Amino acid sequence: MKNLRFLIIPVILFVSACGWFKQPPEIGKVLSEHFKNKIYKDFDTIAYDRVFVKAMDSLSETFINPKTIKAFYASNVNEPKLITKFYIDGQLDSLVEYLQNSTVHGFNPKIFKTDEIKSLLQELSANKFTKVDDSYPIIARLELLSANAYLNYHNFLRYGVVNPRNIFSRYYIKVKRPDSLGMMNMLSSVSLTDSLNSVQPKSTQYMALQKAYLRARAENEKRILLLNMERFRWKMPETGTNYVQVNIPDFRLTWFDRQDTVITMKVCVGGRREAGYEEKIKAFAKSGNLDDKPKNHETPLLFSKINSIQANPVWNIPVSIAQSEIYWMARKDPYYLSNSNINVYYKDKLIGEPDTINWNRYSRDKLPFKFKQGSGGGNALGKFKFIFDNSSSIYLHDTNNKNGFNLTNRAISHGCVRIEKPLEFAEKLVGDTYTYDKLRAEVDLPPVDSTNNKWYKKRMAAKADTARAFQLKPAWFAPKKDVPLLITYFTAWSQNNRIQYRPDVYDMDEKLWVAMKKFR
């Protein structure tokens, strides 16, 4: 049965290729009729195939997707599909026009070999071949360069020039990228012009940046606009029309409902990595000494959904902060831990009196303890924590230090995002007065609806009862529905018909500019 299967496959391929090996093949008929030139009736597919294979070998090294292009032509027995379908009706000329006009997207037409494609089209159109064999190198090269340029142009506009996950260490948003099946389907398009037209970015933001880019004269401004056009080309996850966005360079959270703003507020984000980070991290990798480890608290870029709210949160202090800060503070002040409401655990068991720990016995790189800061006014997370699934232990939260929101550069946190108006944000998330009043009661605020005063009075009475110890504990609340959250990075965007510019706080513009160099 296996032997029979292997015999069937070549037969299928031969049958599907029969049209190509007819005399003349489709390309010969098309060109013969178009030019009224009989030489194309002698089009020899076997002779052409040898020329095509050599052209593929010489050109494929410069292709971005050589495997896909080779697979497409292998499945079509090297037939010049694009020329056969799109030369006569002028669609290959339209491709050249799109490529020449790619400057409106910040591209250099040279990266598509636009001039050579145009020259090959002109040479074919001149119809000066005295024998059909002379046309083979022109047809083969025109076919392959057109296929490559078409794929690249289409992919650049639909998905962006670079994959941000390849150049940024803390970029965790799963952007969609081109796949071989999609590209094979593109090369089999019924209409090149329809495909090229449909891929033109049509988002309001992109078009506003593009318009500003075409008007800008200063090179630095053009550079910023181009970089953010690229960011808007990246195929982001579907957020829907109702979502929350944190834009790091803007130090701001905005809740969007379609084009409307539900709520907006200042945020503090992670501090930028230490100067000379790349070299210092190499030194740390060699030494393993924590004193050599450079600081990097940059907030990661990610997409998730806010799925819960914690009132009166407990802060599970990360190991990195325990090593770099808590350890030193405890050594300096034996009462620091108890005064800061920080509990210490050894093998998951609570240590009753952490002030008695002899810290000189322990090195900070091998601390056997875990640290948790209890609920209350002194908690670094404030009164609210907004939780979403992610691999970086990042969340949005309140803060007991409000002064940070008065700063111009608010890249000051350990990586999480501090939000300016946590109570208002919580109100929007829970979405109903009943749940909101329950949440308010947990943080000792009176209810909005006076009919719910009973909860509030009961809680306040329990706190005031000196006969019974009242222990403040975290309380969990669910949003009315999970809300998409996008933590992103734009240094330019359109707002109220004006382009807004922000500083490149994490130097991400510079990295992106270097990655895009060969496409400019």
Side-chain angles (χ1 to χ4, degrees):
M1 189 66 184
K2 289 184 178 179
N3 292 336
L4 180 59
R5 184 179 63 190
F6 287 119
L7 286 172
I8 291 172
I9 292 173
V11 170
I12 293 173
L13 291 174
F14 177 77
V15 170
S16 64
C18 282
W20 172 237
F21 291 110
K22 287 180 180 178
Q23 293 295 332
E26 188 65 24
I27 184 68
K29 292 178 182 178
V30 167
L31 296 180
S32 176
E33 183 176 339
H34 176 71
F35 290 119
K36 308 301 180 187
N37 191 333
K38 294 181 180 180
I39 67 167
Y40 291 108
K41 290 185 177 181
D42 297 326
F43 200 100
D44 187 337
T45 55
I46 296 176
Y48 169 79
D49 188 77
R50 288 195 291 268
V51 174
F52 181 88
V53 169
K54 288 183 179 179
M56 176 71 83
D57 289 342
S58 66
L59 291 172
S60 60
E61 292 182 359
T62 65
F63 292 169
I64 293 178
N65 298 287
K67 291 183 180 179
T68 300
I69 293 176
K70 287 180 179 179
F72 173 78
Y73 285 102
S75 66
N76 287 281
V77 290
N78 294 343
E79 183 179 355
K81 286 285 189 179
L82 299 187
I83 295 177
T84 303
K85 290 196 294 184
F86 305 125
Y87 171 68
I88 302 303
D89 64 6
Q91 291 195 57
L92 285 181
D93 292 306
S94 296
L95 171 63
V96 170
E97 291 176 9
Y98 275 100
L99 299 179
Q100 288 176 323
N101 201 39
S102 64
T103 52
V104 302
H105 299 290
F107 301 137
N108 185 340
K110 289 182 179 179
I111 66 175
F112 304 109
K113 296 190 181 296
T114 307
D115 287 344
E116 184 174 357
I117 294 172
K118 184 177 181 180
S119 176
L120 290 167
L121 275 170
Q122 291 173 342
E123 193 167 355
L124 181 60
S125 298
N127 190 30
K128 293 183 178 179
F129 303 115
T130 56
K131 53 183 179 178
V132 71
D133 299 41
D134 296 337
S135 71
Y136 298 162
I138 306 302
I139 292 173
R141 198 169 181 87
L142 175 59
E143 177 74 19
L144 287 169
L145 289 179
S146 297
N148 182 59
Y150 170 52
L151 284 184
N152 292 347
Y153 180 88
H154 190 282
N155 290 342
F156 290 174
L157 289 188
R158 187 175 183 186
Y159 302 102
V161 171
V162 301
N163 183 349
R165 291 166 66 88
N166 291 341
I167 60 174
F168 300 121
S169 61
R170 295 194 176 187
Y171 196 103
Y172 302 130
I173 303 171
K174 293 182 179 179
V175 293
K176 188 176 180 182
R177 298 297 298 166
D179 60 81
S180 56
L181 179 60
M183 288 187 281
M184 294 276 276
N185 290 335
M186 280 172 51
L187 291 172
S188 301
S189 295
V190 175
S191 171
L192 274 187
T193 51
D194 286 351
S195 177
L196 292 167
N197 182 58
S198 66
V199 81
Q200 302 300 312
K202 297 177 178 64
S203 76
T204 303
Q205 281 292 340
Y206 186 91
M207 294 176 72
L209 290 174
Q210 185 182 37
K211 186 176 181 180
Y213 173 76
L214 295 174
R215 291 180 174 178
R217 294 184 178 180
E219 287 302 315
N220 186 55
E221 183 182 11
K222 292 175 70 174
R223 166 178 161 163
I224 295 170
L225 291 165
L226 188 152
L227 290 171
N228 287 280
M229 285 163 63
E230 169 68 3
R231 289 185 172 113
F232 278 107
R233 286 192 288 257
W234 294 337
K235 200 77 169 179
M236 307 295 277
E238 290 294 332
T239 59
T241 57
N242 193 292
Y243 66 98
V244 172
Q245 176 180 287
V246 173
N247 183 16
I248 289 174
D250 193 28
F251 303 119
R252 183 163 289 276
L253 176 152
T254 306
W255 188 326
F256 293 102
D257 185 1
R258 299 186 187 277
Q259 298 299 318
D260 297 327
T261 298
V262 175
I263 189 173
T264 185
M265 66 189 72
K266 296 176 181 179
V267 299
C268 297
V269 299
R272 63 177 295 160
R273 61 177 55 184
E274 193 174 311
Y277 179 84
E278 300 294 343
E279 292 304 315
K280 290 179 181 179
I281 201 69
K282 291 177 183 177
F284 169 66
K286 290 181 179 179
S287 71
N289 188 336
L290 282 176
D291 292 332
D292 294 334
K293 187 177 182 180
K295 293 180 181 179
N296 181 9
H297 297 307
E298 293 181 356
T299 298
L301 307 188
L302 54 83
F303 172 74
S304 188
K305 291 187 178 181
I306 302 172
N307 53 49
S308 60
I309 306 165
Q310 190 180 50
N312 301 315
V314 168
W315 182 29
N316 297 307
I317 300 175
V319 173
S320 59
I321 297 177
Q323 291 175 332
S324 63
E325 297 180 26
I326 304 299
Y327 173 79
W328 295 116
M329 296 299 291
R331 287 193 60 166
K332 182 179 179 181
D333 177 4
Y335 302 107
Y336 166 75
L337 295 169
S338 56
N339 289 338
S340 302
N341 194 21
I342 295 177
N343 293 322
V344 183
Y345 296 82
Y346 178 74
K347 294 183 177 180
D348 294 328
K349 291 184 179 180
L350 178 65
I351 296 176
E353 296 184 14
D355 300 337
T356 63
I357 297 174
N358 182 0
W359 295 101
N360 292 323
R361 293 177 54 191
Y362 306 100
S363 63
R364 66 187 180 112
D365 58 335
K366 294 181 180 179
L367 280 178
F369 307 109
K370 292 181 180 178
F371 303 85
K372 294 184 180 182
Q373 188 176 40
S375 304
N379 189 287
L381 306 185
K383 295 181 179 180
F384 300 101
K385 180 167 71 171
F386 304 92
I387 301 169
F388 45 91
D389 295 334
N390 68 95
S391 60
S392 303
S393 300
I394 295 295
Y395 38 82
L396 310 181
H397 67 88
D398 183 18
T399 177
N400 55 25
N401 179 10
K402 307 293 184 180
N403 293 330
F405 297 113
N406 297 323
L407 300 174
T408 301
N409 184 341
R410 296 192 287 277
I412 58 174
S413 82
H414 287 98
C416 289
V417 179
R418 306 173 190 172
I419 65 173
E420 181 187 23
K421 304 172 184 176
L423 189 63
E424 292 180 38
F425 190 59
E427 181 182 15
K428 298 297 182 185
L429 282 170
V430 297
D432 68 84
T433 304
Y434 179 88
T435 308
Y436 179 53
D437 278 350
K438 281 279 192 181
L439 181 145
R440 288 174 61 89
E442 289 294 331
V443 294
D444 301 337
L445 292 174
V448 174
D449 185 349
S450 59
T451 61
N452 295 327
N453 277 334
K454 185 178 180 180
W455 305 332
Y456 180 65
K457 290 179 180 179
K458 183 177 180 180
R459 178 181 175 82
M460 297 310 291
K463 288 191 72 173
D465 187 354
T466 57
R468 300 177 62 183
F470 178 86
Q471 185 178 0
L472 191 64
K473 295 180 180 179
W476 295 85
F477 296 87
K480 190 172 184 179
K481 61 179 180 179
D482 291 358
V483 178
L485 169 69
L486 189 63
I487 301 180
T488 189
Y489 197 98
F490 290 106
T491 53
W493 69 94
S494 176
Q495 184 175 316
N496 300 325
N497 297 318
R498 294 185 61 183
I499 302 297
Q500 300 291 321
Y501 297 93
R502 294 295 185 273
D504 180 20
V505 63
Y506 288 167
D507 288 335
M508 293 181 76
D509 276 4
E510 185 61 35
K511 280 191 175 182
L512 182 55
W513 186 249
V514 171
M516 293 181 64
K517 183 177 181 180
K518 61 182 179 181
F519 303 103
R520 304 196 303 267

